[in-house]
Amino acid sequence: MKAIVAHRYGPPETLRPEEVEKPAVEPDQVLVRVRASSVNPYDWHMLRGSPFLVRLSGGLLKPKNGALGVDAAGVVEAVGADVTHVAPGDEVFGARNGAFAEYVSGKNFVPKPARISFEQAGTLGIAGITALQAVRDKGRVKAGQKVLVNGAAGGVGTFAVQIAKALGADVTGVCSTRNVDLVRSIGAERVVDYTVADYTREGQRYDVIVDCIGNHRLLANRRALTADGTLVIVGGPLRRLPAVLVLPLIVRQRIGFFIAKINRDDLSVLADLMESGQVTPVIDRAYPLSEVPEAIAYLEEGHARGKVVITV
């Protein structure tokens, strides 16, 4: 089968599809014929080996496992002996390393809603789970709360806006001028154009801020929170980590970052949200498997609206 594999750290143009063996299927896994995947910042961090923490866990001089891609949607071809929740022929989506390939095997796959395309379902693995856990678990968003999403037009941000809205929050999205209409169309009651306004200096207070960008100091974000508000950090520079660890010890406001944990229960929650129409993935553009390098380079520029899809 064809797959995208990184044999060394470097720029995306070093990648080419190559022939590899079809993955084996463990007793708790399914084998999926991939129809669509999508690109995440995780992919280019792994490809470039940056920040350095990536190399500490993934290989100091070269990747230990260079199979790229995590999100996947497709059709089940085979199931392990212990699998009961899906069967061969079922359309599924989920997440597993090595998803930029014709086949992928893993345990975190759930049935795909019939009304959702493979391309839409292929966007959910990392970004959808991250947004869900940021809003529901770390932000503890409740109906009637004021929630701000910084980076509302990005991969995680577009999902976070919709999930917060589904939970009954009053949502404000922060984005550039060209994305104002998009962010409003996915459910934001109010949109702040960061090219003309700074949400940390407007005087508005929010119960929860989901920060997908990290372009404001923590103290500035605190200024935009209520006295007992919550700041959930999804993205941003690692230099903020010491302050993130210390501030919660001395202030009432909750401040924290997290690493999303892929699991079937939360994938099923996303499936329900899509089935009900409360969440609809936003797709910027699609590339074939052979153009994964171009797709990663485009995402790395930082201007993608929603998700960048890979069709297989």
Side-chain angles (χ1 to χ4, degrees), residues 3 38 43 79 111 146 208 255:
S38 66
D43 299 312
V79 300
K146 292 185 179 298
V208 179
I255 302 171

Side-chain angles (χ1 to χ4, degrees), residues 11-311:
E13 55 264 28
T14 62
L15 298 173
R16 292 291 183 275
E18 58 185 77
E19 289 292 334
V20 301
E21 291 186 5
K22 187 183 294 187
V25 183
E26 301 295 330
D28 63 345
Q29 295 181 335
V30 300
L31 178 66
V32 177
R33 173 61 173 94
V34 180
R35 296 284 298 277
S37 182
S38 66
V39 185
N40 294 282
Y42 174 87
D43 299 312
W44 55 262
H45 284 308
M46 294 301 296
L47 174 60
R48 291 190 177 275
S50 176
F52 190 72
L53 288 176
V54 171
R55 298 191 182 220
L56 292 180
S57 60
L60 191 60
L61 299 179
K62 64 180 183 179
K64 293 178 183 177
N65 178 6
L68 293 176
V70 177
D71 305 339
V75 180
V76 176
E77 182 164 293
V79 300
D82 298 338
V83 173
T84 59
H85 67 289
V86 294
D90 287 352
E91 296 181 349
V92 297
F93 75 96
R96 172 67 171 175
N97 287 340
F100 291 162
E102 292 178 320
Y103 291 89
V104 67
S105 64
K107 63 181 180 179
N108 289 318
F109 287 90
V110 299
K112 178 184 75 66
R115 67 185 295 272
I116 300 299
S117 70
F118 285 115
E119 289 77 10
Q120 290 174 315
T123 68
L124 285 156
I126 289 184
I129 288 287
T130 299
L132 177 65
Q133 294 175 1
V135 172
R136 182 196 63 189
D137 302 337
K138 300 301 178 181
R140 303 177 189 175
V141 170
K142 299 178 178 61
Q145 287 188 315
K146 292 185 179 298
V147 175
L148 179 136
V149 179
N150 185 25
V156 174
T158 50
F159 287 121
V161 168
Q162 295 177 80
I163 292 168
K165 180 72 173 179
L167 292 174
D170 182 299
V171 183
T172 295
V174 181
C175 62
S176 65
T177 306
R178 75 186 186 101
N179 292 321
V180 167
D181 289 342
L182 166 66
V183 172
R184 188 173 287 116
S185 74
I186 60 175
E189 282 85 4
R190 179 170 173 267
V191 182
V192 177
D193 179 349
Y194 68 74
T195 68
V196 297
D198 181 348
Y199 72 87
T200 70
R201 295 184 178 278
E202 287 189 315
Q204 175 67 54
R205 298 290 184 268
Y206 300 93
D207 299 295
V208 179
I209 295 176
V210 178
D211 186 3
C212 304
I213 303 296
N215 57 346
H216 289 282
R217 295 172 61 87
L218 292 181
L219 293 179
N221 271 315
R222 283 193 59 217
R223 189 167 59 232
L225 282 174
T226 58
D228 56 353
T230 300
L231 170 64
V232 182
I233 298 172
V234 176
L238 289 177
R239 65 176 179 270
R240 299 198 303 174
L241 185 58
V244 170
L245 296 176
V246 173
L247 274 176
L249 302 177
I250 58 178
V251 301
R252 286 176 56 193
Q253 294 161 325
R254 295 175 60 239
I255 302 171
F257 68 99
F258 74 105
I259 297 175
K261 297 180 180 179
I262 307 296
N263 63 84
R264 289 211 308 264
D265 287 343
D266 282 350
L267 288 169
S268 294
V269 170
L270 291 171
D272 291 341
L273 288 168
M274 290 193 299
E275 184 67 53
S276 67
Q278 293 175 292
V279 168
T280 300
V282 175
I283 295 175
D284 183 318
R285 59 181 68 180
Y287 295 81
L289 183 64
S290 61
E291 295 181 8
V292 162
E294 290 85 349
I296 293 176
Y298 175 65
L299 184 70
E300 199 171 7
E301 291 174 1
H303 304 298
R305 297 154 53 102
K307 295 289 293 179
V308 176
V309 167
I310 304 298
T311 56

